[in-house]
Amino acid sequence: MLGTFTFHNPTKLYFGENALEGLFKELPKYGKTVQLIYGGGSLKKNGVYDAVTEILRKCGKTVVEDGGVMPNPTVEKLKEGVRIARENRVDLLLAVGGGSCCDYAKAVAVSVHCDEDPWEKYFVRYENPSCEIVPVGCVLTMAGTGSEMNNCAVITNDAQKLKIGKVFDERVNPKFSILNPIFTYTLPMRQTVSGVYDIFSHICEQYFSGTDNNVSDALSEALMRSVVDASLTVIHNPENYEARSNIMWAATWALNNLIGCGKTQDWTVHALGQALGAYTDATHGLTLAAVSLPYYRLVLPYGLSKFVRFAREVWRIDPTGKTDSEIAEAGLCAMQDWMKEIGVAVSMRDLGATENMIEGIADATLLSEGAGYHTLTRDEVIEILKESF
Ligand code: NZQ
Ligand code: ZN
């Protein structure tokens, strides 16, 4: 049975090879000054920067540059973005990049007119904005986070060794997002598969909670199968449009609030992964990959029937002659084989963690009680982290 819910996602999407043309429709809706947000320069090599700035020019916009957004954007960078936006009184924040640029744009959006410390207000006290919010648009170049169609922003505080995702309300969703799968062709394969695993994990976080038979879980299974299929194509053929487009579209639907409708959700893997990320600055999807299997093996007995369903519906495990526990374990083994095949079977050590970080990572793991099948004790968190080495 589905619980009661309200679903409203206000982000307009333009998808496909000519999606960038959508900027001609969207840009005239906003004032003259656009803060152009991008990362470390990949878009200057692959032509996306030139294509976007050409359209901005044709639309008569004044462009204020805000490059150098790092993967896992920091509070320090956020301050810089807010300063740029205030000094130039910008009318639109246009993020061109992956989840980091898009999250950063949202965090700037809620901070420009905020007279408090945004880190404290939004990410520590978890309050909602009470000020004007600058509109955000997004041109996506990396598929994974779903930030292009959601209301979440993740910011890292290096000094405090904390990485926190704040879920805002729908006013913070991008007003529009441009999704051209071809823009993802130039991603290094490590980034591609990290994004793939992030998508898969977003679905798992919403799927592995509750035991009901409902349409949200059925949608999740279809998305998981699509992501697995497309990933196995893209690792051999990075310019396969069909696979790239399926990955991009699945990423958006994996975390735009749809598949979580009417369900409880877990998010423990993300809590562990983000703590690991705060200590290592490792690529987000890989931090999730490092901790996932030890976590799922630990909680499997608490949610056995769902793990059986996962094995049968996602991994097509033949149940003949097997106990439920054996079916469930066979499902996790199939998932592990897939992770090895696409190259995300990594350990915490591979990501730069050292054993003396374990206590700190456990402290930085922000668990929410009663979300999944089992709320971890601190000893269990430590056990999972040790297992993930
Ligand atoms: O900085 P540049 O030079 O552009 O290079 C980027 C970056 O190094 C590169 N890249 C992006 N598009 C490219 C490309 N390289 C070549 N060709 C392209 N087309 O990829 C690298 C990673 O980019 P990033 O934006 O950091 O990756 P991702 O999209 O995975 O975003 C990760 C951030 O999003 C947060 C993560 O925690 C992390 O901070 N998340 C946001 C969520 C949300 N808003 O809902 C949920 C997620 O669970 C996640 O936590
Ligand atoms: Zn994620």
Side-chain angles (χ1 to χ4, degrees):
M1 192 188 80
L2 287 168
T4 308
F5 60 88
T6 304
F7 178 73
H8 176 215
N9 190 314
T11 302
K12 183 167 184 175
L13 299 177
Y14 294 85
F15 190 97
E17 290 178 57
N18 298 318
L20 201 57
E21 298 285 307
L23 278 182
F24 284 113
K25 293 194 182 131
E26 294 302 320
L27 291 176
K29 297 178 187 170
Y30 304 94
K32 195 170 169 57
T33 310
V34 177
Q35 185 161 336
L36 182 61
I37 291 169
Y38 55 93
S42 69
L43 81 171
K44 290 199 172 163
K45 292 189 203 129
N46 62 17
V48 176
Y49 177 88
D50 289 342
V52 170
T53 49
E54 173 71 2
I55 296 176
L56 286 163
R57 193 186 58 74
K58 283 185 177 158
C59 291
K61 300 295 178 186
T62 302
V63 175
V64 178
E65 296 259 340
D66 183 7
V69 178
M70 62 293 283
N72 312 317
T74 61
V75 175
E76 290 309 313
K77 177 66 187 164
L78 170 60
K79 285 182 191 154
E80 186 186 319
V82 171
R83 180 185 53 74
I84 294 170
R86 284 179 181 162
E87 280 175 10
N88 296 281
R89 297 172 181 272
V90 303
D91 300 301
L92 175 70
L93 300 160
L94 185 62
V96 187
S100 294
C101 288
C102 195
D103 281 11
Y104 165 82
K106 293 176 196 172
V108 172
V110 294
S111 305
V112 176
H113 298 289
C114 175
D115 48 21
E116 295 170 67
D117 174 349
W119 171 257
E120 288 294 326
K121 179 177 173 67
Y122 301 127
F123 297 91
V124 176
R125 299 202 302 274
Y126 228 71
E127 290 170 12
N128 273 321
S130 44
C131 60
E132 186 190 332
I133 299 169
V134 182
V136 170
C138 169
V139 177
L140 194 65
T141 65
M142 148 105 198
T145 65
S147 187
E148 66 277 10
M149 201 188 187
N150 73 31
N151 45 8
C152 176
V154 184
I155 295 294
T156 298
N157 188 317
D158 281 334
Q160 295 179 14
K161 289 255 179 288
L162 284 173
K163 181 177 184 186
I164 298 181
K166 161 70 180 159
V167 178
F168 292 94
D169 59 50
E170 65 200 27
R171 293 173 298 160
V172 181
N173 272 57
K175 300 295 175 211
F176 62 89
S177 284
I178 307 282
L179 277 59
N180 181 344
I182 294 173
F183 290 173
T184 64
Y185 285 1
T186 54
L187 276 166
M189 193 45 71
R190 192 174 161 85
Q191 287 297 340
T192 297
V193 295
S194 171
V196 162
Y197 194 78
D198 193 21
I199 303 166
F200 194 82
S201 178
H202 294 158
I203 307 168
C204 288
E205 300 277 25
Q206 295 163 88
Y207 181 78
F208 285 118
S209 184
T211 52
D212 299 336
N213 179 14
N214 64 54
V215 72
S216 292
D217 285 340
L219 289 170
S220 292
E221 286 157 358
L223 285 173
M224 286 194 267
R225 288 193 298 267
S226 301
V227 171
V228 170
D229 282 354
S231 67
L232 293 171
T233 300
V234 92
I235 53 169
H236 300 297
N237 187 355
E239 301 201 359
N240 182 301
Y241 184 83
E242 185 176 272
R244 286 288 189 185
S245 58
N246 282 331
I247 290 170
M248 197 172 224
W249 195 220
T252 303
W253 287 96
L255 198 52
N256 69 357
N257 296 334
L258 178 83
I259 61 170
C261 279
K263 290 196 65 200
T264 54
Q265 305 181 19
D266 184 359
W267 296 102
T268 305
V269 168
H270 271 67
L272 290 159
Q274 283 177 354
L276 173 58
Y279 271 76
T280 59
D281 200 27
T283 305
H284 171 66
L286 298 181
T287 64
L288 309 172
V291 298
S292 284
L293 282 164
Y295 171 68
Y296 287 127
R297 289 210 158 94
L298 191 143
V299 298
L300 185 148
Y302 301 94
L304 182 60
S305 62
K306 195 56 159 293
F307 282 93
V308 169
R309 179 173 161 167
F310 175 69
R312 296 186 62 169
E313 298 300 327
V314 179
W315 301 104
R316 303 295 188 214
I317 299 298
D318 179 0
T320 316
K322 296 188 185 74
T323 64
D324 279 359
S325 296
E326 285 166 352
I327 300 167
E329 177 53 31
L332 291 185
C333 286
M335 175 174 158
Q336 188 163 16
D337 289 346
W338 167 66
M339 290 171 73
K340 283 184 189 151
E341 191 167 350
I342 66 167
V344 297
V346 290
S347 69
M348 277 176 40
R349 196 186 306 278
D350 296 333
L351 301 180
T354 51
E355 284 183 46
N356 62 4
M357 291 179 185
I358 286 184
E359 293 287 330
I361 295 173
D363 289 340
T365 301
L366 307 173
L367 297 172
S368 42
E369 197 144 331
Y373 293 122
H374 171 67
T375 306
L376 299 178
T377 62
R378 189 185 152 84
D379 284 351
E380 286 170 332
V381 171
I382 301 273
E383 188 184 326
I384 289 166
L385 294 175
K386 285 188 174 159
E387 206 43 45
S388 306
F389 258 85

